[in-house]
Amino acid sequence: MTTTAAIGAAAPTAGVDLAAAPTNTAVAVVDWSMDGEAELTQLTVGVADDAIVEVIGRVARAGGRTGIDCPLGWPERFVEFLLAHRGGTAPTDLGTPDARRPLLYRRTDLAVIAAGHRPLSVAADRIAHPAVRVAGILARLSEPGRPVDRSGRGPVAEVYPAVALRHWGLTSRAYKGTANAAVRSALVGNLLATIPWLRVSGGQRELLCRSDHALDALVSALVARAVVIGAATVPPPADAAVAAIEGWIALPTTALHRLPTGGATA
């Protein structure tokens, strides 16, 4: 008889580096086996919404999760502020950054900031463009009367590749773009050397070196694995309800070498 734990141990995971348009959007799928091995079975750059929805659904049906590098919601207080502004009753004491901060950062953003990182504000940065796009994707995944849980308990989890790389002791800054190709290639080499259990083809390795979007998609799939095995941060009980609406960034709490077999100790 196959146990729930066994299903989770062999479940695929996916990662989506979501941009505002398909051109710079990447998807990675990792298939995990019971013997501690894994294979990068899909790595694609230039992905439209239909393909993303298909991957998320396929992975979820197999018992896995998809990590999405994009905010899955907006701060509740920001939404309330917009409604108040429309009605002419917005607060009048918003002249300082400290006064605006509670409106611009989600509960999960504040938790990540407290941990020493600096997430972008989905309410006040260009990252809002992909966030609008992911809202449409989540709507397509929702069932009537049952929106997708954005706290990581549903088919998707919000992830932050740069923070994951930092947790794993790898380069987490200045690896993106054409100008940083050498840094990115070194990062790919170090990452793959740390996870020899992951089978990656020569063409996939070349794409990881060429495209930071492909690299972030792979890292997102690895973080999704941490979510599946219970080795990622979750919202505290007091924040569970708001996290289901605003989203919650799942940060890995385990080392890379523990991903194939599980284990929540870094």
Side-chain angles (χ1 to χ4, degrees):
M1 180 176 179
T2 302
T3 66
T4 301
I7 293 173
T13 61
V16 179
D17 182 52
L18 194 77
T23 304
N24 292 326
T25 297
V27 168
V29 178
V30 176
D31 281 354
W32 304 83
S33 66
M34 296 292 292
D35 60 3
E37 299 291 323
E39 181 179 2
L40 181 57
T41 55
Q42 179 179 340
L43 186 65
T44 311
V45 178
V47 187
D49 290 8
D50 287 348
I52 294 172
V53 171
E54 187 278 326
V55 166
I56 294 173
R58 169 162 46 91
V59 167
R61 287 190 296 272
R65 303 280 182 86
T66 296
I68 301 182
D69 180 16
C70 177
L72 301 185
W74 280 262
E76 280 288 272
R77 290 189 61 180
F78 178 68
V79 175
E80 295 168 357
F81 162 74
L82 291 179
L83 293 173
H85 174 62
R86 186 176 68 177
T89 59
T92 58
D93 56 344
L94 299 174
T96 66
D98 285 344
R100 295 188 294 271
R101 186 172 294 107
L103 304 179
L104 302 181
Y105 289 97
R106 302 171 297 161
R107 203 75 58 86
T108 186
D109 298 327
L110 297 176
V112 171
I113 290 171
H117 311 291
R118 180 60 63 176
L120 298 176
S121 167
V122 66
D125 200 279
R126 288 180 296 177
I127 199 170
H129 288 274
V132 171
R133 183 183 176 196
V134 83
I137 292 171
L138 295 181
R140 292 179 58 176
L141 295 168
S142 299
E143 299 176 7
R146 294 183 59 186
V148 172
D149 187 322
R150 302 166 200 161
S151 68
R153 294 178 296 184
V156 303
E158 183 177 336
V159 299
Y160 196 157
V163 175
L165 289 169
R166 180 175 172 182
H167 172 76
W168 289 325
L170 296 165
T171 298
S172 60
R173 301 179 63 183
Y175 67 88
K176 299 188 178 185
T178 303
N180 292 313
V183 174
R184 186 166 56 254
S185 293
L187 169 57
V188 170
N190 290 335
L191 172 62
L192 297 183
T194 306
I195 52 175
W197 39 261
L198 179 65
R199 294 190 295 276
V200 176
S201 72
Q204 290 171 336
R205 181 177 182 130
E206 191 278 330
L207 181 55
L208 290 169
C209 292
R210 188 172 72 246
S211 169
D212 58 82
H213 305 294
L215 177 55
D216 278 352
L218 172 57
V219 175
S220 297
L222 296 176
V223 178
R225 172 65 175 183
V227 173
V228 167
I229 65 175
T233 56
V234 296
D239 290 336
V242 71
I245 298 170
E246 293 185 346
W248 191 267
I249 300 171
L251 304 178
T253 58
T254 191
L256 277 167
H257 73 271
R258 291 178 176 268
L259 291 181
T261 55
T265 303

